[in-house]
């Protein structure tokens, strides 16, 4: 029986961006179902007492170099965003509102590209609107969705449920109840998904 890969993420994480591209390939190779779950990384940090890895300067420098190596290895275009960290609340509310919607993957692709290929300040409303429009989406409708009570409530619920499961950062994947943190652990995710 095919496995489900739950992928908990925030588009503000460059490692989540790398994982997003790799996980689509992993799902295709293994026959697993990829189930993306939008969470608010800031909310996770607040609940767990965590902080972004780049808050330690030496670790941040190392991570940038490490992510560049991973991106080059996997053929993923990655541009470090000079506006980082970016407030992702509106973007993640949009994605929470689109859970189960056939537009989800395309909108996620557009938001990730705005952050990590085009290095835009996606917290700026005009920039976000323009990026969504350039991606072929109805920007006005998606920004209205971000203000919908259901979308707001779902993002909160997703984030709280993630913390309750032991999540402390993103990307985090679950396969058959096993938790895997970080884009550099996707070999384990693929092995678990391949067990079927």
């Amino acid at each position: 029986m095919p496995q489900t890969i739950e992928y908990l993420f925030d588009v503000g994480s460059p490692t989540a961006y790398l994982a997003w591209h790799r996980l689509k390939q992993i799902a295709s190779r293994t026959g697993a179902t990829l189930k993306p779950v939008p969470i608010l990384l800031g909310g996770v940090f607040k609940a767990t007492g965590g902080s972004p890895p780049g808050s330690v300067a030496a670790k941040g420098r190392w991570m940038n170099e490490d992510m560049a190596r991973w991106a080059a290895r996997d053929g993923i275009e990655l541009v470090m965003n000079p506006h980082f960290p970016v407030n992702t609340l509106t973007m993640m509310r949009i994605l929470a509102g689109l859970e189960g919607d056939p537009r989800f993957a395309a909108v996620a692709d557009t938001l990730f590209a705005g952050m990590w290929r085009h290095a835009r300040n996606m917290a700026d409303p005009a920039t976000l609107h323009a990026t969504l429009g350039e991606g072929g989406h109805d920007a006005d409708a998606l920004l209205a969705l971000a203000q919908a009570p259901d979308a707001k409530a779902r993002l909160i619920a997703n984030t709280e449920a993630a913390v309750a499961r032991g999540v402390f950062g993103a990307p985090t994947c679950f396969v058959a109840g096993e938790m895997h943190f970080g884009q550099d652990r996707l070999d384990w995710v693929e092995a678990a998904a391949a067990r079927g």
Side-chain angles (χ1 to χ4, degrees):
M1 180 176 167
Q3 295 281 11
T4 296
I5 303 170
E6 292 179 81
Y7 161 65
L8 284 66
F9 75 102
D10 184 314
V11 295
S13 164
T15 53
Y17 164 72
L18 295 176
W20 173 242
H21 287 285
R22 294 180 62 207
L23 283 167
K24 289 188 278 186
Q25 297 169 356
I26 288 170
S28 177
R29 285 195 296 266
T30 63
T33 298
L34 181 59
K35 180 185 177 186
V37 181
I39 61 172
L40 189 64
L41 194 49
V44 170
F45 288 154
K46 184 176 179 180
T48 62
S51 61
S55 59
V56 176
K59 186 173 184 180
R61 286 192 299 273
W62 174 83
M63 279 192 67
N64 287 347
E65 293 170 4
D66 191 57
M67 286 186 291
R69 285 191 290 265
W70 281 98
R73 187 199 76 166
D74 295 320
I76 301 169
E77 186 179 353
L78 172 66
V79 178
M80 294 313 295
N81 194 314
H83 307 287
F84 183 82
V86 173
N87 182 334
T88 61
L89 181 61
T90 300
M91 293 185 283
M92 299 315 296
R93 283 176 173 171
I94 289 170
L95 291 172
L98 288 175
E99 272 192 271
D101 187 297
R103 297 172 292 172
F104 184 99
V107 172
D109 282 339
T110 297
L111 295 175
F112 269 128
M115 283 291 302
W116 302 112
R117 279 210 324 263
H118 307 302
R120 296 175 177 170
N121 181 3
M122 297 291 284
D124 174 66
T127 301
L128 176 56
H129 189 281
T131 301
L132 288 167
E134 289 168 16
H137 311 293
D138 184 339
D140 291 332
L142 291 175
L143 290 170
L145 177 63
Q147 299 307 314
D150 286 353
K152 293 179 180 181
R154 179 170 288 186
L155 182 60
I156 291 169
N158 285 356
T159 303
E160 290 176 347
V163 171
R165 294 175 80 182
V167 170
F168 53 86
T172 297
C173 294
F174 288 91
V175 183
E178 294 180 353
M179 186 173 100
H180 305 274
F181 169 71
Q183 67 86 26
D184 52 350
R185 299 297 188 269
L186 295 187
D187 289 350
W188 294 105
V189 170
E190 182 160 10
R195 286 197 289 267

